[in-house]
Amino acid sequence: MTAGTLVYLFHGHHVLLALKKRGFGANLWNAPGGKIEFGETAKLAAIRETKEEVGVMPVIKEPLGEILYHDTVHGNWKVTVYRTDDFSGDVIESEEMRPQWWPLDQMPYAQMWPGDELWVPYVLSNTKFNAELWFDGSGKLEKKDIQLA
């Protein structure tokens, strides 16, 4: 199972999403994040990936949620989700991602990963959750299990 992180940064009534410019997830809006490297904790990976992808240093505490993804083509992922409004630095575009602040009531779900519309509202409302999603390999969601933590 591949381990990864996502960090949702908030500023007032806006959340920072970034358009993936290349590779896995290209042309989709997502929060900064990525794979956890060998010997790294989820928290350290979340901080590193956010700095690399959008230029800011987040202050994160406890995870808000955990998502298990099962996909017949892309494999299984365990993603730890964080939320913070505490960060330093200026948001910048990187070679990998183009960040943009989105009003909370204008989330681009149609241009995000399939299934995001099921659990991202928990992030927006700062509600702890656990989710497990099963996909058929073509992006079609076959089964879901989402619970409050």
Side-chain angles (χ1 to χ4, degrees):
M1 180 169 288
T2 304
T5 65
L6 290 170
V7 179
Y8 285 82
L9 300 164
F10 287 80
H11 182 69
H13 296 286
H14 290 79
V15 62
L16 186 74
L17 298 177
L19 185 68
K20 185 82 184 274
K21 293 162 51 173
R22 64 180 187 202
F24 188 52
N27 300 314
L28 296 175
W29 290 99
N30 203 0
K35 289 182 185 176
I36 299 172
E37 295 179 356
F38 180 76
E40 196 174 41
T41 65
K43 183 177 178 178
L44 289 175
I47 293 167
R48 176 185 52 77
E49 287 283 352
T50 303
K51 178 71 174 157
E52 289 174 2
E53 292 180 346
V54 297
V56 300
M57 184 68 69
V59 176
I60 54 177
K61 295 178 179 142
E62 296 299 315
L64 185 65
E66 183 176 277
I67 308 163
L68 297 176
Y69 289 99
H70 306 282
D71 190 292
T72 57
V73 172
H74 299 106
N76 298 315
W77 283 74
K78 176 183 174 183
V79 177
T80 304
V81 180
Y82 296 93
R83 173 195 163 112
T84 188
D85 60 2
D86 189 1
F87 55 90
S88 60
D90 295 321
V91 174
I92 59 166
E93 183 171 345
S94 66
E95 291 182 12
E96 190 172 351
M97 303 197 77
R98 180 173 56 87
Q100 178 178 321
W101 290 102
W102 288 85
L104 299 180
D105 62 353
Q106 295 179 23
M107 295 295 288
Y109 289 119
Q111 295 171 293
M112 294 172 73
W113 284 96
D116 280 7
E117 71 281 359
L118 301 173
W119 61 266
V120 169
Y122 292 106
V123 176
L124 301 182
S125 67
N126 201 20
T127 304
K128 290 190 174 217
F129 71 97
N130 290 304
E132 193 162 7
L133 306 171
W134 290 263
F135 294 90
D136 69 355
S138 70
K140 181 181 176 195
L141 182 66
E142 293 184 316
K143 183 179 168 185
K144 66 180 187 232
D145 181 18
I146 303 174
Q147 300 177 6
L148 298 179

